[in-house]
Structure formats: C-alpha cells, structure tokens
Amino acid sequence: MSVLRAAPLGCGAYLPERVVENAAFAQRLDTSDEWIVARTGIRRRHFAAEGELTSDLAIAAARRALADAGIEGSAVDAIILATSTPDHTFPSTATKVQHALGAGGFAFDIQAVCAGFVFALATADALIRGGQARTVLVIGAETFSRILDWEDRGTCVLFGDGAGALVLTATFGDGGPQDRGVLATCLHSEGAHRDILHVDGGPSSTQTTGKLRMMGREVFKHAVHKLAEVAEETMAKADVRPEDIDWVVPHQANIRIIESTAKRAGVAMEKVIVTVEDHGNTSAASIPLALSRAVGDGRIRRGDLLLMEAIGGGLAWGGAILRW
Ligand code: UT7
C-alpha cells in the first residue's frame, strides 16, 4: 500500500540573546532560585530585546530550518505558525514570515497556546495527506515576556521567549509504523477549563492585550492526567508501544510534569529531551526548540521514533508520533 506521509526534512530554532537567571527574580520578588528549581526545574530563560518581535524569532528559526532542510523559502507552499503572542491582532504573523522568506502558497497562525505546535503539526499533516500542500513549514514562536505580570511570582518566573521550526514534505510510505513522517496525531480541548489559564484581555473584550493568569495547581493536575492519557492514545493510534519510542519530545512547562508523564507512558527519563532548565516554558515554541537541540547534538537520528505531547490554555492538549 502506498500512502502519503508528512516526512521531516529539517528543523531549526532561535533564542533571543538575553538570558535571565532565577536570581534576577529573587532580587525584586518574594521568591528564590531554590523554590523555582525545586518546583519547576527552571534555572534560566531567554527574553526578547525591546523591539524584537515574535516574527523576528520565527523568521530566524525558519531560516535555520530551511538551511537544515537544504531548500529555499520559495519551495515552501504553506506556513503554519503557532503562537499566542502574535505581532498584531491581524494580519497573521505567519504572513510576515512568508514575505520575509519569499515563500508562495498560503500562511496562517494557529492559536492553541502551549499545545500550539502539536495542533500546527496535525494541521500540516492533514494538508499534506489531503494533497493541499506539498512542503509545509511548521513554526512555534512566542514572546510571552510581553504578557507577563512582573509582580505575580506565581507566573512571571515560569515563561521564556523563543522559536522553533520544522519543515515537512510529502513522501510516500507503506502505511505502517516503519514509515518516516507523522504517523498519528490526537487533539483535544475542554473549554470548561478556560479560566484556569488565560489572558485577561483581548481585542473584543477589553481592547487591551492583557496579562497571563494561571491557577498553577489546577493546571498541574489536569496536565499529568491528560498528557499520560493522550500519550497512550497516540501510541495506540500509531500502532506503536512504549518500548518502540526512541525519544519523547514533550512540552517544557515543568520537570515534574515531564517526569510524571514519562513514567505513566512507560518511557525512561533517559529517552526524554529536557530543555526546561535553560528555556523555561516557551509555550508553542518549546517542542520545536527541544527537537532542534536534540537533532543538532546528534541524539535524534534519522529513523528514530518520537513521541510529542503538550497541554496549555483552553484547556487544549494533544500528542503526535513522528518517525524522524
Ligand atoms: O504550559 C502551560 C501549562 N502550564 C503548566 O503546565 C503549569 C502547571 N503548574 C505548575 O507547573 C505548578 O503548579 C507551578 C510551578 C505553577 C506551582 O507549583 P506548585 O507546586 O503547584 O505550587 P503551588 O501553586 O501549590 O504553590 C505553593 C506555594 C504557595 O504558597 P502557600 O499558599 O503554600 O503559602 C505559593 O504562593 O508556593 C508559593 N509560590 C511561590 N513561592 C516562591 C508560588 N510561586 C512562587 C514563587 N516563589 N515563584
């Protein structure tokens, strides 16, 4: 059987230059490096410079992904950019990236907060398998520093800025789990839990951008449960078992959530890519940032089986199985 698959061609990432260590927060808030490391695993994060926009990070990451894939921007016929911190309310940040790269086709943003990259990946896979696009650039890019309340110690220490990108292209496979490319995706959301992680502003409600608000403990409880469930569901859909997984590339919100999900999914921590220590939570950018680091340092190799999973505001969550 010959089936269309969305196979990876290359990836890349970009982090703003400015690095802020936990100690910087302890100087002006009632917090400490010890608390942040013990409760989250985060030690430092990158913040965009003044005037450095989500599109700037996205374009830099995309250029690196195109170089890694060995193709020009003109070879891309769709760009899907996952972000909750777009440059403007509209047009989409993706169209700015499209123009900068000299890409044709079409471009649009996806907003599923921290699960954005998995939602974008699933959409790219559907576009490729449906014959709508041949080569798709999937980007996660965020400047969460713009929506943080710097007086709220419960949230401002958790997030960082960055971008990561992945090029997918149509390839024929056999239809089995040995194929390269996206093998399965599972998406979920539950709007009943909108309030536990939200931004308190927007164009239609307050005509302001607003600030991030989170009931951390509540989100944590949903995260460990729902991520374990979706990991299992996605592996079953791809017809693979935990022992087949070479690498888990999870959303990087909290090391305790990452460890708990790996354990419940039956995958050892040695097989989990962890960047939360250096990046903090970069929302939609965290998975492609982690992916790029592990591909770049040689851990992830052609043919490896990857499990990705993420959860964020909405609540929205999902999983993906991809053979590199
Ligand atoms: O990516 C989107 C999804 N987001 C997530 O996955 C985040 C999920 N949630 C979490 O990661 C964790 O809930 C947090 C890291 C946000 C918080 O950790 P926690 O172990 O759940 O702590 P908590 O919220 O139960 O707070 C424990 C205590 C509280 O003090 P009291 O009420 O016990 O006196 C907080 O006020 O820690 C206090 N606290 C802090 N203390 C020092 C909260 N933030 C800080 C802080 N420094 N930065």
Side-chain angles (χ1 to χ4, degrees):
M1 190 173 57
S2 198
V3 302
L4 262 183
R5 293 286 198 194
L9 262 191
C11 62
Y14 178 79
L15 288 157
E17 250 171 59
R18 186 171 158 230
V19 177
V20 175
E21 303 283 338
N22 290 345
F25 291 92
Q27 281 171 8
R28 44 172 208 85
L29 284 173
D30 182 14
T31 188
S32 63
D33 179 48
E34 292 72 25
W35 190 96
I36 301 170
V37 173
R39 298 294 182 113
T40 72
I42 300 166
R43 291 182 187 276
R44 57 192 68 85
R45 71 290 288 144
H46 293 246
F47 285 139
E50 209 183 315
E52 192 175 27
L53 307 185
T54 293
S55 59
D56 296 320
L57 312 188
I59 291 163
R63 287 197 203 285
R64 289 176 181 175
L66 292 176
D68 187 46
I71 62 168
E72 300 289 332
S74 55
V76 170
D77 42 31
I79 298 175
I80 308 175
L81 192 153
T83 189
S84 300
T85 45
D87 290 7
H88 296 101
T89 303
F90 80 78
S92 69
T93 304
T95 53
K96 212 165 173 182
V97 177
Q98 180 195 33
H99 181 62
L101 299 179
F106 56 96
F108 61 99
D109 289 358
I110 275 192
Q111 209 271 60
V113 204
C114 297
F117 187 77
V118 175
F119 276 60
L121 186 68
T123 306
D125 179 47
L127 289 175
I128 287 174
R129 286 189 296 103
Q132 182 88 24
R134 200 178 60 245
T135 300
V136 182
L137 180 59
V138 184
I139 307 170
E142 303 278 17
T143 47
F144 260 51
S145 60
R146 311 288 197 240
I147 55 166
L148 296 176
D149 174 353
W150 299 104
E151 302 306 316
D152 177 12
R153 66 176 184 171
T155 54
C156 74
V157 303
L158 304 175
F159 296 90
D161 301 338
L166 169 65
V167 182
L168 295 168
T169 198
T171 312
F172 282 102
D174 295 333
Q178 291 311 317
D179 288 350
R180 287 191 71 229
V182 179
L183 301 182
T185 56
C186 293
L187 306 181
H188 296 280
S189 42
E190 266 176 24
H193 306 299
R194 288 174 60 80
D195 289 350
I196 64 173
L197 176 48
H198 71 286
V199 167
D200 62 6
S204 175
S205 55
T206 57
Q207 296 84 58
T208 63
T209 306
K211 298 290 181 205
L212 185 148
R213 308 290 169 206
M214 179 166 72
M215 294 161 72
R217 209 176 306 181
E218 290 306 308
V219 178
F220 191 100
K221 277 191 259 173
H222 283 285
V224 290
H225 171 68
K226 290 180 161 58
L227 289 176
E229 231 172 47
V230 82
E232 199 176 309
E233 181 190 9
T234 316
M235 285 190 281
K237 193 170 173 186
D239 196 21
V240 300
R241 290 158 306 170
E243 52 271 33
D244 300 325
I245 302 292
D246 293 299
W247 297 104
V248 181
V249 190
H251 171 50
Q252 311 277 327
N254 186 318
I255 189 67
R256 293 186 291 142
I257 297 175
I258 294 172
E259 285 171 352
S260 156
T261 308
K263 193 172 172 191
R264 288 179 183 220
V267 183
M269 271 308 284
E270 295 76 54
K271 293 183 169 188
V272 182
I273 308 298
V274 178
T275 55
V276 68
E277 183 174 337
D278 297 327
H279 300 169
N281 181 345
T282 57
S283 187
S286 87
I287 288 181
L289 272 164
L291 177 71
S292 296
R293 183 189 269 191
V295 169
D297 66 23
R299 276 179 290 174
I300 294 179
R301 297 174 190 201
R302 192 183 169 93
D304 281 355
L305 192 64
L306 314 184
L307 165 65
M308 300 169 178
E309 28 90 351
I311 186 165
L315 292 173
W317 70 101
I321 299 278
L322 182 151
R323 191 174 296 283
W324 192 253

Short mmCIF file of all heavy atoms in Angstrom, two decimals, residues 8-71:
data_model
loop_
_atom_site.label_atom_id
_atom_site.label_comp_id
_atom_site.label_asym_id
_atom_site.label_seq_id
_atom_site.Cartn_x
_atom_site.Cartn_y
_atom_site.Cartn_z
N PRO A 8 9.74 14.59 7.81
CA PRO A 8 10.60 15.71 8.20
C PRO A 8 11.78 15.88 7.24
O PRO A 8 12.42 14.91 6.85
CB PRO A 8 11.09 15.32 9.59
CG PRO A 8 11.02 13.83 9.63
CD PRO A 8 9.87 13.43 8.74
N LEU A 9 12.04 17.16 6.88
CA LEU A 9 13.19 17.47 6.01
C LEU A 9 14.29 18.18 6.80
O LEU A 9 15.46 18.10 6.44
CB LEU A 9 12.73 18.42 4.89
CG LEU A 9 12.38 17.89 3.52
CD1 LEU A 9 12.22 19.05 2.55
CD2 LEU A 9 13.44 16.92 3.01
N GLY A 10 13.89 18.93 7.84
CA GLY A 10 14.89 19.66 8.62
C GLY A 10 14.23 20.49 9.69
O GLY A 10 13.01 20.70 9.66
N CYS A 11 15.03 20.94 10.67
CA CYS A 11 14.46 21.77 11.73
C CYS A 11 15.49 22.82 12.16
O CYS A 11 16.67 22.72 11.83
CB CYS A 11 14.03 20.92 12.92
SG CYS A 11 15.36 20.01 13.70
N GLY A 12 15.01 23.82 12.89
CA GLY A 12 15.90 24.88 13.36
C GLY A 12 15.24 25.66 14.48
O GLY A 12 14.03 25.55 14.68
N ALA A 13 16.04 26.42 15.22
CA ALA A 13 15.49 27.16 16.35
C ALA A 13 16.23 28.47 16.53
O ALA A 13 17.32 28.67 15.99
CB ALA A 13 15.61 26.31 17.62
N TYR A 14 15.59 29.35 17.27
CA TYR A 14 16.25 30.63 17.60
C TYR A 14 15.84 31.07 18.99
O TYR A 14 14.65 31.03 19.34
CB TYR A 14 15.86 31.71 16.59
CG TYR A 14 16.47 33.04 16.93
CD1 TYR A 14 17.79 33.33 16.64
CD2 TYR A 14 15.72 34.00 17.62
CE1 TYR A 14 18.38 34.53 17.01
CE2 TYR A 14 16.30 35.21 18.00
CZ TYR A 14 17.63 35.47 17.68
OH TYR A 14 18.20 36.66 18.06
N LEU A 15 16.81 31.50 19.77
CA LEU A 15 16.55 32.04 21.11
C LEU A 15 17.10 33.46 21.17
O LEU A 15 18.22 33.70 20.70
CB LEU A 15 17.25 31.18 22.17
CG LEU A 15 16.63 29.81 22.41
CD1 LEU A 15 17.65 28.85 23.01
CD2 LEU A 15 15.41 29.94 23.32
N PRO A 16 16.35 34.39 21.74
CA PRO A 16 16.88 35.75 21.89
C PRO A 16 18.15 35.73 22.74
O PRO A 16 18.33 34.83 23.56
CB PRO A 16 15.77 36.50 22.61
CG PRO A 16 14.59 35.63 22.62
CD PRO A 16 15.02 34.23 22.33
N GLU A 17 19.01 36.75 22.54
CA GLU A 17 20.32 36.77 23.21
C GLU A 17 20.25 36.88 24.72
O GLU A 17 21.04 36.26 25.43
CB GLU A 17 21.11 37.97 22.70
CG GLU A 17 22.27 37.60 21.81
CD GLU A 17 22.87 38.82 21.17
OE1 GLU A 17 23.31 39.71 21.92
OE2 GLU A 17 22.87 38.88 19.92
N ARG A 18 19.30 37.66 25.21
CA ARG A 18 19.27 37.97 26.65
C ARG A 18 18.83 36.78 27.49
O ARG A 18 17.75 36.24 27.29
CB ARG A 18 18.32 39.15 26.89
CG ARG A 18 18.32 39.64 28.30
CD ARG A 18 17.55 40.94 28.44
NE ARG A 18 17.14 41.11 29.83
CZ ARG A 18 15.91 41.39 30.21
NH1 ARG A 18 14.96 41.57 29.32
NH2 ARG A 18 15.63 41.53 31.49
N VAL A 19 19.70 36.38 28.43
CA VAL A 19 19.40 35.27 29.33
C VAL A 19 19.19 35.82 30.74
O VAL A 19 20.00 36.62 31.21
CB VAL A 19 20.57 34.24 29.34
CG1 VAL A 19 20.30 33.12 30.34
CG2 VAL A 19 20.80 33.67 27.94
N VAL A 20 18.10 35.41 31.37
CA VAL A 20 17.81 35.88 32.72
C VAL A 20 17.80 34.68 33.67
O VAL A 20 17.02 33.73 33.48
CB VAL A 20 16.47 36.65 32.77
CG1 VAL A 20 16.10 37.02 34.20
CG2 VAL A 20 16.55 37.90 31.89
N GLU A 21 18.67 34.72 34.68
CA GLU A 21 18.76 33.63 35.67
C GLU A 21 17.70 33.83 36.75
O GLU A 21 17.21 34.94 36.96
CB GLU A 21 20.16 33.65 36.33
CG GLU A 21 21.33 33.55 35.37
CD GLU A 21 21.59 32.15 34.83
OE1 GLU A 21 21.16 31.19 35.49
OE2 GLU A 21 22.21 32.03 33.76
N ASN A 22 17.37 32.76 37.46
CA ASN A 22 16.37 32.85 38.54
C ASN A 22 16.72 33.93 39.56
O ASN A 22 15.83 34.59 40.11
CB ASN A 22 16.27 31.51 39.28
CG ASN A 22 15.61 30.44 38.42
OD1 ASN A 22 14.99 30.75 37.41
ND2 ASN A 22 15.73 29.19 38.84
N ALA A 23 18.00 34.10 39.82
CA ALA A 23 18.44 35.06 40.85
C ALA A 23 17.91 36.46 40.58
O ALA A 23 17.65 37.22 41.51
CB ALA A 23 19.96 35.08 40.92
N ALA A 24 17.73 36.81 39.30
CA ALA A 24 17.25 38.15 38.96
C ALA A 24 15.84 38.40 39.51
O ALA A 24 15.49 39.52 39.88
CB ALA A 24 17.27 38.34 37.44
N PHE A 25 15.01 37.33 39.58
CA PHE A 25 13.65 37.48 40.11
C PHE A 25 13.68 37.62 41.63
O PHE A 25 12.91 38.36 42.22
CB PHE A 25 12.79 36.27 39.73
CG PHE A 25 12.49 36.20 38.25
CD1 PHE A 25 13.31 35.50 37.40
CD2 PHE A 25 11.38 36.86 37.73
CE1 PHE A 25 13.05 35.44 36.04
CE2 PHE A 25 11.10 36.80 36.37
CZ PHE A 25 11.94 36.09 35.52
N ALA A 26 14.62 36.86 42.25
CA ALA A 26 14.72 36.87 43.71
C ALA A 26 15.13 38.24 44.24
O ALA A 26 14.85 38.57 45.39
CB ALA A 26 15.72 35.81 44.16
N GLN A 27 15.75 39.06 43.39
CA GLN A 27 16.16 40.40 43.82
C GLN A 27 14.99 41.34 44.06
O GLN A 27 15.09 42.29 44.81
CB GLN A 27 17.10 41.01 42.77
CG GLN A 27 18.50 40.48 42.86
CD GLN A 27 19.36 40.93 41.69
OE1 GLN A 27 18.96 41.76 40.88
NE2 GLN A 27 20.55 40.37 41.60
N ARG A 28 13.85 41.08 43.35
CA ARG A 28 12.75 42.05 43.48
C ARG A 28 11.41 41.42 43.83
O ARG A 28 10.41 42.13 43.97
CB ARG A 28 12.62 42.89 42.20
CG ARG A 28 12.70 42.08 40.93
CD ARG A 28 12.38 42.87 39.70
NE ARG A 28 11.85 41.98 38.69
CZ ARG A 28 10.60 41.62 38.60
NH1 ARG A 28 9.70 42.11 39.43
NH2 ARG A 28 10.19 40.78 37.68
N LEU A 29 11.36 40.08 43.98
CA LEU A 29 10.11 39.41 44.33
C LEU A 29 10.37 38.45 45.48
O LEU A 29 11.52 38.03 45.69
CB LEU A 29 9.60 38.58 43.14
CG LEU A 29 8.94 39.29 41.96
CD1 LEU A 29 8.68 38.28 40.86
CD2 LEU A 29 7.64 39.96 42.38
N ASP A 30 9.30 38.05 46.19
CA ASP A 30 9.44 37.09 47.28
C ASP A 30 9.53 35.68 46.68
O ASP A 30 8.56 34.92 46.70
CB ASP A 30 8.24 37.21 48.22
CG ASP A 30 8.36 36.27 49.41
OD1 ASP A 30 9.47 35.74 49.62
OD2 ASP A 30 7.35 36.06 50.09
N THR A 31 10.67 35.38 46.10
CA THR A 31 10.91 34.06 45.50
C THR A 31 12.39 33.72 45.65
O THR A 31 13.16 34.54 46.16
CB THR A 31 10.46 34.01 44.03
OG1 THR A 31 10.54 32.67 43.56
CG2 THR A 31 11.30 34.90 43.13
N SER A 32 12.78 32.54 45.22
CA SER A 32 14.19 32.15 45.33
C SER A 32 14.55 31.17 44.22
O SER A 32 13.67 30.49 43.68
CB SER A 32 14.44 31.46 46.68
OG SER A 32 13.67 30.27 46.73
N ASP A 33 15.82 31.11 43.93
CA ASP A 33 16.31 30.14 42.94
C ASP A 33 15.93 28.73 43.39
O ASP A 33 15.47 27.91 42.58
CB ASP A 33 17.84 30.27 42.82
CG ASP A 33 18.44 29.27 41.84
OD1 ASP A 33 17.91 29.15 40.71
OD2 ASP A 33 19.42 28.59 42.20
N GLU A 34 16.04 28.46 44.70
CA GLU A 34 15.73 27.12 45.23
C GLU A 34 14.27 26.75 44.95
O GLU A 34 13.99 25.63 44.51
CB GLU A 34 15.98 27.06 46.76
CG GLU A 34 17.43 27.16 47.18
CD GLU A 34 18.01 28.57 47.01
OE1 GLU A 34 17.24 29.56 47.03
OE2 GLU A 34 19.24 28.67 46.83
N TRP A 35 13.35 27.69 45.23
CA TRP A 35 11.92 27.39 45.01
C TRP A 35 11.66 27.10 43.53
O TRP A 35 11.02 26.11 43.17
CB TRP A 35 11.02 28.55 45.48
CG TRP A 35 9.56 28.18 45.49
CD1 TRP A 35 8.84 27.74 46.56
CD2 TRP A 35 8.65 28.19 44.37
NE1 TRP A 35 7.54 27.46 46.19
CE2 TRP A 35 7.39 27.73 44.85
CE3 TRP A 35 8.76 28.52 43.02
CZ2 TRP A 35 6.26 27.61 44.02
CZ3 TRP A 35 7.64 28.39 42.21
CH2 TRP A 35 6.41 27.94 42.72
N ILE A 36 12.18 27.96 42.67
CA ILE A 36 11.90 27.82 41.23
C ILE A 36 12.47 26.51 40.69
O ILE A 36 11.79 25.77 39.97
CB ILE A 36 12.44 29.05 40.43
CG1 ILE A 36 11.81 30.34 40.95
CG2 ILE A 36 12.16 28.87 38.93
CD1 ILE A 36 12.44 31.62 40.40
N VAL A 37 13.70 26.18 41.10
CA VAL A 37 14.32 24.94 40.60
C VAL A 37 13.57 23.71 41.15
O VAL A 37 13.23 22.79 40.40
CB VAL A 37 15.83 24.86 40.98
CG1 VAL A 37 16.41 23.50 40.62
CG2 VAL A 37 16.60 25.97 40.28
N ALA A 38 13.26 23.74 42.45
CA ALA A 38 12.61 22.57 43.06
C ALA A 38 11.20 22.34 42.50
O ALA A 38 10.81 21.20 42.25
CB ALA A 38 12.54 22.75 44.58
N ARG A 39 10.43 23.41 42.28
CA ARG A 39 9.04 23.25 41.85
C ARG A 39 8.86 23.13 40.34
O ARG A 39 7.83 22.67 39.87
CB ARG A 39 8.18 24.43 42.33
CG ARG A 39 8.10 24.59 43.82
CD ARG A 39 7.37 23.42 44.47
NE ARG A 39 7.27 23.61 45.90
CZ ARG A 39 6.13 23.82 46.54
NH1 ARG A 39 5.00 23.82 45.89
NH2 ARG A 39 6.12 24.00 47.85
N THR A 40 9.89 23.60 39.57
CA THR A 40 9.69 23.64 38.11
C THR A 40 10.85 23.04 37.30
O THR A 40 10.65 22.65 36.16
CB THR A 40 9.52 25.09 37.60
OG1 THR A 40 10.79 25.76 37.68
CG2 THR A 40 8.49 25.86 38.41
N GLY A 41 12.06 23.06 37.86
CA GLY A 41 13.24 22.63 37.10
C GLY A 41 13.85 23.75 36.27
O GLY A 41 14.88 23.55 35.62
N ILE A 42 13.23 24.93 36.31
CA ILE A 42 13.73 26.06 35.50
C ILE A 42 14.88 26.76 36.23
O ILE A 42 14.79 27.04 37.42
CB ILE A 42 12.60 27.08 35.24
CG1 ILE A 42 11.44 26.43 34.47
CG2 ILE A 42 13.14 28.30 34.47
CD1 ILE A 42 10.15 27.25 34.46
N ARG A 43 15.98 27.03 35.48
CA ARG A 43 17.09 27.80 36.04
C ARG A 43 17.25 29.15 35.36
O ARG A 43 17.70 30.12 35.95
CB ARG A 43 18.41 27.02 35.91
CG ARG A 43 18.46 25.80 36.80
CD ARG A 43 19.78 25.06 36.71
NE ARG A 43 19.68 23.81 37.45
CZ ARG A 43 19.88 23.70 38.76
NH1 ARG A 43 20.21 24.76 39.47
NH2 ARG A 43 19.75 22.54 39.36
N ARG A 44 16.94 29.21 34.08
CA ARG A 44 17.11 30.44 33.31
C ARG A 44 16.15 30.44 32.14
O ARG A 44 15.57 29.40 31.81
CB ARG A 44 18.55 30.59 32.82
CG ARG A 44 19.03 29.42 31.98
CD ARG A 44 20.53 29.44 31.76
NE ARG A 44 21.24 29.19 33.01
CZ ARG A 44 21.51 27.95 33.49
NH1 ARG A 44 21.16 26.87 32.80
NH2 ARG A 44 22.13 27.80 34.63
N ARG A 45 15.97 31.57 31.49
CA ARG A 45 15.13 31.68 30.30
C ARG A 45 15.66 32.83 29.46
O ARG A 45 16.40 33.69 29.96
CB ARG A 45 13.64 31.89 30.64
CG ARG A 45 13.26 33.23 31.21
CD ARG A 45 13.75 33.50 32.62
NE ARG A 45 13.04 32.73 33.64
CZ ARG A 45 13.62 32.23 34.74
NH1 ARG A 45 14.91 32.45 34.99
NH2 ARG A 45 12.95 31.55 35.64
N HIS A 46 15.27 32.85 28.17
CA HIS A 46 15.68 33.94 27.28
C HIS A 46 14.50 34.91 27.15
O HIS A 46 13.35 34.48 27.06
CB HIS A 46 16.01 33.39 25.89
CG HIS A 46 17.24 32.52 25.87
ND1 HIS A 46 18.39 32.88 25.21
CD2 HIS A 46 17.50 31.31 26.43
CE1 HIS A 46 19.31 31.93 25.37
NE2 HIS A 46 18.78 30.97 26.11
N PHE A 47 14.82 36.21 27.09
CA PHE A 47 13.77 37.21 26.84
C PHE A 47 14.15 38.04 25.62
O PHE A 47 15.32 38.44 25.47
CB PHE A 47 13.59 38.14 28.06
CG PHE A 47 12.87 37.49 29.22
CD1 PHE A 47 13.31 37.72 30.52
CD2 PHE A 47 11.76 36.69 29.03
CE1 PHE A 47 12.65 37.15 31.62
CE2 PHE A 47 11.09 36.11 30.11
CZ PHE A 47 11.53 36.34 31.41
N ALA A 48 13.16 38.30 24.78
CA ALA A 48 13.40 39.10 23.57
C ALA A 48 13.79 40.52 23.95
O ALA A 48 13.34 41.05 24.98
CB ALA A 48 12.12 39.11 22.73
N ALA A 49 14.62 41.13 23.12
CA ALA A 49 15.03 42.52 23.34
C ALA A 49 13.86 43.44 23.01
O ALA A 49 12.91 43.02 22.32
CB ALA A 49 16.22 42.85 22.44
N GLU A 50 13.93 44.68 23.47
CA GLU A 50 12.89 45.64 23.14
C GLU A 50 12.83 45.78 21.62
O GLU A 50 13.87 45.90 20.96
CB GLU A 50 13.26 46.99 23.78
CG GLU A 50 12.05 47.83 24.10
CD GLU A 50 12.46 49.18 24.67
OE1 GLU A 50 13.37 49.20 25.53
OE2 GLU A 50 11.88 50.18 24.21
N GLY A 51 11.68 45.70 21.06
CA GLY A 51 11.54 45.83 19.61
C GLY A 51 11.76 44.54 18.85
O GLY A 51 11.56 44.49 17.63
N GLU A 52 12.19 43.50 19.53
CA GLU A 52 12.37 42.19 18.89
C GLU A 52 11.02 41.45 18.97
O GLU A 52 10.52 41.20 20.06
CB GLU A 52 13.46 41.39 19.62
CG GLU A 52 13.91 40.15 18.86
CD GLU A 52 15.09 39.44 19.55
OE1 GLU A 52 15.24 39.56 20.78
OE2 GLU A 52 15.86 38.78 18.84
N LEU A 53 10.45 41.14 17.82
CA LEU A 53 9.06 40.65 17.77
C LEU A 53 9.01 39.13 17.59
O LEU A 53 10.00 38.50 17.19
CB LEU A 53 8.32 41.31 16.60
CG LEU A 53 8.35 42.84 16.54
CD1 LEU A 53 7.45 43.33 15.41
CD2 LEU A 53 7.93 43.47 17.86
N THR A 54 7.83 38.58 17.82
CA THR A 54 7.62 37.15 17.59
C THR A 54 8.01 36.79 16.15
O THR A 54 8.63 35.75 15.91
CB THR A 54 6.14 36.80 17.86
OG1 THR A 54 5.89 36.98 19.26
CG2 THR A 54 5.83 35.36 17.48
N SER A 55 7.67 37.66 15.20
CA SER A 55 8.02 37.36 13.79
C SER A 55 9.54 37.31 13.60
O SER A 55 10.03 36.50 12.81
CB SER A 55 7.42 38.41 12.85
OG SER A 55 7.88 39.70 13.20
N ASP A 56 10.29 38.15 14.32
CA ASP A 56 11.76 38.12 14.18
C ASP A 56 12.31 36.77 14.64
O ASP A 56 13.19 36.19 13.99
CB ASP A 56 12.40 39.23 15.03
CG ASP A 56 12.01 40.62 14.54
OD1 ASP A 56 11.96 40.81 13.30
OD2 ASP A 56 11.76 41.50 15.38
N LEU A 57 11.78 36.28 15.75
CA LEU A 57 12.23 34.97 16.26
C LEU A 57 11.83 33.87 15.28
O LEU A 57 12.61 32.95 14.98
CB LEU A 57 11.63 34.67 17.64
CG LEU A 57 11.68 35.74 18.73
CD1 LEU A 57 11.21 35.16 20.06
CD2 LEU A 57 13.07 36.31 18.89
N ALA A 58 10.59 33.97 14.79
CA ALA A 58 10.07 32.95 13.87
C ALA A 58 10.88 32.91 12.57
O ALA A 58 11.21 31.83 12.06
CB ALA A 58 8.60 33.23 13.56
N ILE A 59 11.21 34.08 12.05
CA ILE A 59 11.95 34.15 10.78
C ILE A 59 13.36 33.56 10.97
O ILE A 59 13.84 32.77 10.14
CB ILE A 59 12.02 35.61 10.26
CG1 ILE A 59 10.61 36.05 9.80
CG2 ILE A 59 13.03 35.75 9.12
CD1 ILE A 59 10.44 37.56 9.65
N ALA A 60 13.99 33.89 12.10
CA ALA A 60 15.34 33.36 12.36
C ALA A 60 15.31 31.83 12.47
O ALA A 60 16.17 31.13 11.89
CB ALA A 60 15.90 33.98 13.63
N ALA A 61 14.31 31.31 13.19
CA ALA A 61 14.20 29.84 13.34
C ALA A 61 13.89 29.19 12.00
O ALA A 61 14.44 28.14 11.65
CB ALA A 61 13.13 29.50 14.36
N ALA A 62 13.01 29.82 11.23
CA ALA A 62 12.60 29.27 9.94
C ALA A 62 13.78 29.22 8.97
O ALA A 62 13.96 28.24 8.24
CB ALA A 62 11.47 30.11 9.35
N ARG A 63 14.60 30.28 8.95
CA ARG A 63 15.78 30.29 8.05
C ARG A 63 16.71 29.11 8.40
O ARG A 63 17.27 28.47 7.51
CB ARG A 63 16.54 31.61 8.19
CG ARG A 63 15.84 32.80 7.56
CD ARG A 63 16.84 33.96 7.38
NE ARG A 63 16.19 35.26 7.30
CZ ARG A 63 15.53 35.72 6.24
NH1 ARG A 63 15.42 34.98 5.16
NH2 ARG A 63 14.98 36.92 6.26
N ARG A 64 16.87 28.86 9.69
CA ARG A 64 17.74 27.73 10.10
C ARG A 64 17.14 26.39 9.70
O ARG A 64 17.85 25.48 9.29
CB ARG A 64 17.99 27.80 11.61
CG ARG A 64 18.91 28.95 11.97
CD ARG A 64 19.10 29.11 13.45
NE ARG A 64 19.97 30.26 13.70
CZ ARG A 64 20.26 30.74 14.89
NH1 ARG A 64 19.77 30.16 15.97
NH2 ARG A 64 21.05 31.78 15.03
N ALA A 65 15.81 26.29 9.81
CA ALA A 65 15.15 25.03 9.43
C ALA A 65 15.26 24.81 7.92
O ALA A 65 15.49 23.68 7.46
CB ALA A 65 13.69 25.06 9.86
N LEU A 66 15.11 25.89 7.15
CA LEU A 66 15.22 25.76 5.68
C LEU A 66 16.65 25.36 5.30
O LEU A 66 16.85 24.51 4.43
CB LEU A 66 14.85 27.09 5.00
CG LEU A 66 13.39 27.51 5.08
CD1 LEU A 66 13.19 28.89 4.45
CD2 LEU A 66 12.48 26.49 4.40
N ALA A 67 17.64 25.97 5.97
CA ALA A 67 19.04 25.63 5.68
C ALA A 67 19.30 24.16 6.02
O ALA A 67 19.95 23.43 5.25
CB ALA A 67 19.97 26.53 6.50
N ASP A 68 18.75 23.71 7.15
CA ASP A 68 18.92 22.31 7.55
C ASP A 68 18.25 21.37 6.54
O ASP A 68 18.76 20.28 6.26
CB ASP A 68 18.31 22.12 8.95
CG ASP A 68 18.60 20.74 9.53
OD1 ASP A 68 19.76 20.30 9.45
OD2 ASP A 68 17.67 20.09 10.05
N ALA A 69 17.12 21.82 6.00
CA ALA A 69 16.38 21.00 5.02
C ALA A 69 17.03 21.08 3.64
O ALA A 69 16.73 20.25 2.77
CB ALA A 69 14.93 21.47 4.95
N GLY A 70 17.88 22.09 3.44
CA GLY A 70 18.54 22.26 2.14
C GLY A 70 17.60 22.77 1.07
O GLY A 70 17.76 22.45 -0.11
N ILE A 71 16.62 23.60 1.47
CA ILE A 71 15.69 24.16 0.48
C ILE A 71 15.58 25.68 0.66
O ILE A 71 15.94 26.22 1.71
CB ILE A 71 14.26 23.54 0.57
CG1 ILE A 71 13.61 23.81 1.93
CG2 ILE A 71 14.31 22.03 0.29
CD1 ILE A 71 12.13 23.49 1.99
#
